[in-house]
Amino acid sequence: MSMQMSNSEGAVKVAEWQHTYYSSDSGIQSGATTVREEDETESNKKFPTENTTDLDGQYSLTRAQRVRAAMFPETLVEGESTLPTQTDPDQQTNVQRLAEPSQLLKTAIVHLINYQDDAELATRAVPELTKLLADEDQVVVNKAALIVNQLTRKEASRRVLMQSPQMVAAVVRALQAGDLETSRCAASVLHSLSHQREGLLAIFKSGGIPALVRMLSSPMESVLFYSITTLHNLLLHQEGAKMAVRLADGLQRMVPLLKKTNPKFLAITTDCLQLLSYGNQESKLIILANGGPESLVFIMRNYNYEKLLWTTSRVLKVLSVCPSNKPAIVDAGGMQALGQHLTGSSQRLVQNCLWTAEEPFRCRHQAGGLGRSSADPGDPAGL
């Protein structure tokens, strides 16, 4: 009797135990694992499923924003930010690595589009502007020259202009129109074209050198500067330019410019004189006849701009081998002026000054075979 009661109580307890801990399954049939209530609660605290879902959603939403921020930062709304994904500050994410190349590509595409637009605009405008530059009304010519000058500020339109011989010839004619403002615009156009070989050739073929030489007598400083720098570029890089400048009486107009006071302008002018006089005796005599040695010595005495002193010493170096120029340099105090710079820090200036100062003494011993010949010293580059 007691045995039966004990068995029935045990069955009741087993049923309660199953109901309490495993519901209707002990886990043997279903394979369910035992989880304590406090462990489940702790697990939910550590890994909240709803927060994880929200975070994934935020990263998904900002992925496009991060790509957009890297490639098109200008499209972002002010104050808008994206979730950071960089875990290691020393290692860039894939999007960050793409940012710089993407910006470069975008910039290149924009420049290409703008370049094409500029070229098309200039191509359509050149024929009409060429006609306007030849108009009898000086006001019309002035406005046309102003527009052409603006076009030369863009590389694409500048190339279109220099590829039109009619346009370059029209600009050369406008340079000599007589109106100072028109001359300034035209001189600026030719100066811009002279920075490329194709432009130099176009100026040369259009008869630009005689026109530019005439502009060396202009009362407007900007016209003077544009003209001398354009001629300088032609002398440096355009074959046949030296002879063309000599034939246009360029030396006779350049030597008086040595009286100007702008050191940079003088440096360009003296370099032009060196390029024209090197290896050409007639040019040396023209410089002498126009008072060149005295002006050059004055520059060596009174200026301290190294480039000007160097270019001036190069002219004196070339003139010092000329029997006619040599006494003029000495009489103008050239030896003392050159001696002022023998202790300077510019090695190239010191070398030119030494060579030029020694030339008179060197020539005294030529008869005895102890000196050098009186041929032009150095090379055109002054190296």
Side-chain angles (χ1 to χ4, degrees):
M1 183 70 175
S2 61
M3 181 65 71
Q4 292 177 353
M5 291 180 65
S6 175
N7 289 338
S8 61
E9 290 177 0
V12 172
K13 290 181 178 181
V14 169
E16 291 177 353
W17 179 72
Q18 288 179 337
H19 179 73
T20 304
Y21 294 97
Y22 290 103
S23 186
S24 60
D25 182 12
S26 66
I28 294 176
Q29 289 82 10
S30 65
T33 56
T34 304
V35 180
R36 293 188 302 171
E37 186 177 351
E38 58 270 23
D39 289 341
E40 186 176 1
T41 304
E42 188 66 25
S43 176
N44 289 337
K45 289 180 181 179
K46 291 182 179 178
F47 306 102
T49 56
E50 64 278 4
N51 291 344
T52 304
T53 304
D54 292 344
L55 192 61
D56 287 341
Q58 290 179 29
Y59 276 114
S60 297
L61 288 172
T62 59
R63 186 178 296 118
Q65 293 176 341
R66 287 185 283 112
V67 174
R68 189 179 66 184
M71 299 184 67
F72 308 102
E74 66 277 3
T75 63
L76 289 177
V77 179
E78 186 177 357
E80 183 179 6
S81 61
T82 59
L83 289 173
T85 59
Q86 187 176 10
T87 57
D88 185 354
D90 296 328
Q91 186 175 4
Q92 291 183 322
T93 64
N94 290 335
V95 172
Q96 288 173 331
R97 283 195 292 268
L98 284 171
E100 184 176 356
S102 298
Q103 286 296 310
L104 292 175
L105 177 60
K106 186 187 72 172
T107 302
I109 292 173
V110 171
H111 286 170
L112 183 61
I113 293 172
N114 292 337
Y115 186 96
Q116 185 65 29
D117 290 344
D118 293 338
E120 291 177 356
L121 174 63
T123 301
R124 291 194 299 268
V126 161
E128 187 63 29
L129 286 171
T130 303
K131 294 178 183 179
L132 294 175
L133 285 172
D135 196 276
E136 295 180 359
D137 189 342
Q138 193 60 44
V139 176
V140 173
V141 175
N142 177 261
K143 297 298 182 184
L146 183 61
I147 295 173
V148 174
N149 188 28
Q150 291 173 343
L151 287 175
T152 58
R153 295 174 185 175
K154 300 289 186 67
E155 181 183 358
S157 53
R158 187 166 59 244
R159 286 192 173 277
V160 173
L161 293 175
M162 69 179 64
Q163 289 170 0
S164 172
Q166 296 81 7
M167 168 57 75
V168 179
V171 172
V172 171
R173 287 194 298 271
L175 179 66
Q176 308 167 82
D179 178 69
L180 287 179
E181 186 59 27
T182 303
S183 296
R184 185 193 66 80
C185 291
S188 177
V189 170
L190 296 179
H191 175 257
S192 298
L193 299 182
S194 72
H195 287 90
Q196 293 172 309
R197 289 191 177 275
E198 192 175 358
L200 289 170
L201 182 60
I203 295 170
F204 181 73
K205 288 184 174 180
S206 300
I209 287 181
L212 288 165
V213 168
R214 283 192 285 273
M215 289 300 103
L216 295 180
S217 301
S218 173
M220 183 178 283
E221 292 294 324
S222 57
V223 173
L224 272 178
F225 179 81
Y226 287 137
S227 299
I228 195 66
T229 50
T230 304
L231 287 169
H232 186 236
N233 290 336
L234 285 160
L235 291 171
L236 285 172
H237 306 296
Q238 179 58 50
E239 184 179 356
K242 293 178 184 178
M243 182 58 67
V245 172
R246 293 185 187 115
L247 292 175
D249 293 336
L251 282 164
Q252 289 89 332
R253 292 181 185 262
M254 286 182 185
V255 174
L257 296 178
L258 296 176
K259 302 294 185 181
K260 297 289 182 180
T261 57
N262 186 325
K264 294 183 179 180
F265 177 87
L266 289 172
I268 296 172
T269 303
T270 51
D271 204 40
C272 288
L273 292 177
Q274 194 274 339
L275 291 167
L276 290 167
S277 60
Y278 178 80
N280 190 280
Q281 180 63 20
E282 184 181 355
S283 296
K284 297 173 187 176
L285 294 176
I286 292 174
I287 292 175
L288 174 63
N290 286 272
E294 292 82 1
S295 297
L296 294 168
V297 170
F298 179 85
I299 290 173
M300 294 298 294
R301 278 179 170 172
N302 296 281
Y303 288 85
N304 54 16
Y305 179 44
E306 192 273 342
K307 188 173 183 180
L308 171 58
L309 294 172
W310 177 63
T311 54
T312 303
S313 68
R314 291 176 67 199
V315 185
L316 289 171
K317 181 179 177 181
V318 171
L319 296 179
S320 66
V321 299
C322 172
S324 300
N325 273 283
K326 193 181 306 177
I329 294 173
V330 174
D331 292 344
M335 299 301 104
Q336 293 82 358
L338 292 167
Q340 292 178 203
H341 306 286
L342 294 179
T343 58
S345 58
S346 174
Q347 190 63 30
R348 62 180 185 175
L349 175 59
V350 170
Q351 288 177 349
N352 279 343
C353 290
L354 275 174
W355 203 102
T356 306
E358 291 174 357
E359 178 60 20
F361 302 101
R362 188 182 298 112
C363 292
R364 290 177 185 175
H365 301 285
Q366 281 183 0
L370 299 177
R372 294 175 56 171
S373 68
S374 60
D376 278 335
D379 54 44
L383 300 177

